[in-house]
Amino acid sequence: MASTHSPRDLESEPRRPWRFIVPGVVLAIAVPVVILATRSESSVVPIAAEQPATTRELKETSLWNPAAQITPTRYSDRASLELGTRFTVTKEGRVAGVRFFKAAGERGKHTGSLWSSRGVRLARVTFTAETRSGWQEARFAQSVVVRPGQTYTISYHSDNGTYAATRGSLATAEPLAAAQRRTGVFRYGKSRFPEKWNPKNYTYYVDPIFQWWETTPKPNPAPPTTPSATPTITVTPTVTVTPTATTPSVTLTPVPIPSPSPTPTLTPVPSATPTPSPSPSPSPSPSPSPTPTPTPSKDPDPIPAGKFPNAANTGVTPGTQLTVVNGDQTFSTNGQVITGREFRGFVKVTGSNITFKDCVFRGGSTNRTIPLFDSTRGSNTVVTDSEFVPANPSAGVDGAWTRNTQILRSEFRGSTDGIKAGSGTLIQDSFIHDMTWFASDPDQGGGPTHNDGVQSMAGETGVTLRHNTIDMSTTKDANAALQSSAPNSLVVDNFLDGGGCTLNFSHNGLNGALTGIKVNGNRFGRNSFFKCPILLSTRTTLSELTGNVFDDTNGPIPQPERHD
């Protein structure tokens, strides 16, 4: 319900000043001369004439122009959040409502709020009759007075967490102006006062509808006046002078409604990836099929000197003949070595010391949340020179879920996440790239997928990434090359690119601070959306951070950004 303040009435008439009307004189002269004119003191008399009528116009403005055509970049945090814009005014007026730009794919109910600088909610409204995307508008049941010298926040709440953002300050739409610092603010969870902000000063396309009264005098003909004495004019040299009494004329131009500021180019804030609930089912033992599948030619040297992993030096060894294995498979015999297989089903490992070499993991058609390869129930598993490429990509299909596993010289592409790396996982000399984005993911509450090259969740520990290429720059709206809540982890000598921030380390509220992280000797691309190589949560500590550079210049990357 809107606030029930009892402000001073905006429509009360201002005090009217007295006007003084002075008879004017126009002199027409034949030659350019200097004219000296004198008047007696009684020549000018103030007249308390009737005040000219005034006009009062209710005007309205906002920071963005809702009629402008824009195509902002969309972000999805897969979590409910409040997004807002801080603003001030230079004239007293009222906030009548709120607008926000609805990103494509956003869904669910939305509410809009107006807040004081101390976080008191002044008004609230629920949006109705929304369109699928674009500007949405809702008016408060009662407009709220706002005054100069105060900073207010206009916001909306999203249950789904898909939004539009842009970096930088907004232009002023006088008498309305966005705050120049901490312009855009946010808060995760239920609808509460948003007070966090991104250090790069992002805004989130949330707009107050501001109204104020503009009062201007009407141009009325002045009443005839009679001076009490006729002016005496002395002229030197002598010329012919024709005095003509006239009434002064004033042209009054009403103040126009300020033009809304131009639409900026779009961008908020990455967030931690929610934890899916793995529930693959045991499956029958392998039943090889004799159909061979040749593999494409690759460089014979697995990782040529001076190169990072790529499609030519990872995956199945050139010349390997693959035997197709249909259906889901479970490997439980300790010490098995499996080579030259193309698995057209989902693979699970439950035994110890099992090795896979020169294999292709393709999975099958499913609506489950499941990896192509699951070694979370095995121990000392090794996968080398293999490929993880889903035959039927879907929102729930990842490349691999691992614990106590080594992944060597392998390629991952086409899945939602590359690897969900659990405790004791080593990923080395491998190539992770081109994940598949989906508009709807059940694990994200029906929102878009949240793609990571590698993800390590809270409760895991001791994950190592050594000399890999993890390139998320070609994956739509990727979250990170590595999203990790696993302590005691090492990231060394990798090429890393893409995501909102390329490396994202986030502590978990249940497990406390995140410590023991070492990030050394990595090379970074420049394609993270927030221009942010490393992001740390407020309770994450890096024990080592050395030798990390941009790949194109060899210059050092900036210090990590920090916020939750």
Side-chain angles (χ1 to χ4, degrees):
M1 179 177 291
S3 171
T4 54
H5 297 281
S6 298
R8 178 160 52 92
D9 185 3
L10 286 178
E11 301 187 22
S12 59
E13 291 288 344
R15 292 188 175 185
R16 299 178 177 176
W18 288 98
R19 305 288 184 185
F20 296 90
I21 301 176
V22 182
V25 176
V26 177
L27 302 179
I29 48 183
V31 295
V33 294
V34 177
I35 302 174
L36 303 177
T38 62
R39 295 179 185 270
S40 65
E41 291 185 2
S42 61
S43 299
V44 180
V45 180
I47 300 174
E50 181 182 356
Q51 179 183 345
T54 59
T55 60
R56 302 180 68 252
E57 183 181 1
L58 182 64
K59 297 192 175 184
E60 182 176 289
T61 191
S62 53
L63 298 170
W64 282 275
N65 181 0
Q69 296 295 318
I70 59 174
T71 54
T73 304
R74 180 184 59 81
Y75 303 95
S76 183
D77 283 3
R78 285 78 172 179
S80 60
L81 76 166
E82 190 90 12
L83 296 160
T85 301
R86 300 172 68 246
F87 69 95
T88 60
V89 295
T90 58
K91 288 185 177 183
E92 183 173 301
R94 292 177 179 267
V95 174
V98 55
R99 295 188 186 101
F100 77 95
F101 191 91
K102 184 177 182 179
E106 169 65 351
R107 55 182 58 82
K109 183 179 72 173
H110 301 95
T111 57
S113 297
L114 176 67
W115 309 83
S116 72
S117 59
R118 295 184 177 181
V120 176
R121 197 193 308 261
L122 304 176
R124 187 174 188 176
V125 66
T126 298
F127 287 83
T128 59
E130 293 186 30
T131 58
R132 296 184 64 180
S133 62
W135 286 106
Q136 314 298 316
E137 179 178 314
R139 301 272 172 155
F140 299 130
Q142 181 177 333
S143 59
V144 180
V145 171
V146 291
R147 296 184 173 90
Q150 300 291 322
T151 300
Y152 300 89
T153 299
I154 194 76
S155 69
Y156 79 98
H157 186 264
S158 165
D159 291 331
N160 186 45
T162 299
Y163 57 91
T166 184
R167 181 177 171 182
S169 300
L170 300 175
T172 298
E174 188 66 32
L176 175 67
Q180 293 303 300
R181 295 181 61 253
R182 297 168 51 190
T183 310
V185 286
F186 63 93
R187 184 168 187 164
Y188 289 100
K190 296 180 180 180
S191 179
R192 293 181 293 172
F193 180 54
E195 54 187 349
K196 295 183 179 181
W197 72 97
N198 187 288
K200 294 184 182 297
N201 199 33
Y202 281 87
T203 56
Y204 305 107
Y205 285 84
V206 194
D207 207 0
I209 302 171
F210 177 65
Q211 297 177 339
W212 78 102
W213 285 103
E214 195 74 60
T215 302
T216 56
K218 280 185 178 179
N220 290 332
T225 60
T226 305
S228 58
T230 303
T232 302
I233 300 176
T234 305
V235 180
T236 304
T238 303
V239 295
T240 301
V241 177
T242 306
T244 305
T246 64
T247 301
S249 174
V250 180
T251 302
L252 299 176
T253 304
V255 179
I257 297 177
S259 301
S261 61
T263 303
T265 303
L266 291 179
T267 78
V269 178
S271 67
T273 309
T275 304
S277 302
S279 57
S281 304
S283 51
S285 52
S287 54
S289 167
T291 307
T293 303
T295 58
S297 176
K298 294 179 179 283
D299 291 348
D301 185 2
I303 308 292
K307 286 188 177 182
F308 280 99
N310 56 44
N313 53 42
T314 57
V316 174
T317 304
T320 301
Q321 295 296 312
L322 298 178
T323 300
V324 173
V325 180
N326 291 304
D328 296 349
Q329 309 296 324
T330 297
F331 292 89
S332 57
T333 303
N334 297 343
Q336 280 184 280
V337 177
I338 300 96
T339 62
R341 299 289 191 269
E342 180 178 336
F343 293 103
R344 298 182 181 178
F346 298 98
V347 174
K348 181 184 295 184
V349 177
T350 59
S352 299
N353 301 306
I354 297 177
T355 298
F356 296 83
K357 178 176 171 53
D358 291 318
C359 292
V360 176
F361 299 89
R362 303 279 285 163
S365 180
T366 184
N367 57 7
R368 292 179 291 169
T369 298
I370 189 172
L372 303 176
F373 177 85
D374 183 354
S375 64
T376 57
R377 299 182 185 181
S379 62
N380 299 322
T381 306
V382 176
V383 181
T384 181
D385 303 299
S386 294
E387 300 174 22
F388 298 76
V389 187
N392 299 281
S394 66
V397 174
D398 294 330
W401 297 350
T402 61
R403 283 195 187 99
N404 302 308
T405 299
Q406 296 182 46
I407 304 286
L408 309 173
R409 295 188 304 275
S410 294
E411 181 182 5
F412 293 76
R413 66 181 187 274
S415 53
T416 298
D417 285 352
I419 306 172
K420 282 187 169 63
S423 298
T425 294
L426 166 67
I427 306 168
Q428 180 172 315
D429 294 331
S430 294
F431 182 30
I432 303 172
H433 64 106
D434 292 294
M435 299 292 103
T436 301
W437 178 89
F438 293 91
S440 180
D441 181 355
D443 289 332
Q444 305 297 339
T449 48
H450 198 207
N451 303 86
D452 297 304
V454 177
Q455 181 183 18
S456 294
M457 300 180 187
E460 309 297 336
T461 186
V463 174
T464 299
L465 277 62
R466 178 181 287 114
H467 196 251
N468 303 285
T469 295
I470 307 178
D471 185 359
M472 300 296 286
S473 65
T474 56
T475 300
K476 179 178 179 179
D477 294 340
N479 177 62
L482 169 64
Q483 171 79 45
S484 179
S485 297
N488 305 315
S489 295
L490 174 65
V491 182
V492 60
D493 191 26
N494 301 279
F495 176 83
L496 306 163
D497 199 6
C501 290
T502 302
L503 298 182
N504 189 339
F505 296 98
S506 178
H507 72 276
N508 180 274
L510 298 177
N511 296 335
L514 180 59
T515 60
I517 307 297
K518 299 178 181 180
V519 181
N520 298 325
N522 300 285
R523 305 185 74 84
F524 287 81
R526 294 184 182 269
N527 295 299
S528 63
F529 180 82
F530 296 106
K531 308 304 178 187
C532 163
I534 303 176
L535 175 66
L536 307 179
S537 70
T538 54
R539 299 185 64 193
T540 294
T541 302
L542 297 183
S543 58
E544 292 182 14
L545 180 66
T546 61
N548 300 289
V549 299
F550 284 116
D551 186 59
D552 57 351
T553 63
N554 286 322
I557 64 170
Q559 287 298 304
E561 297 193 22
R562 186 180 291 275
H563 66 82
D564 290 338

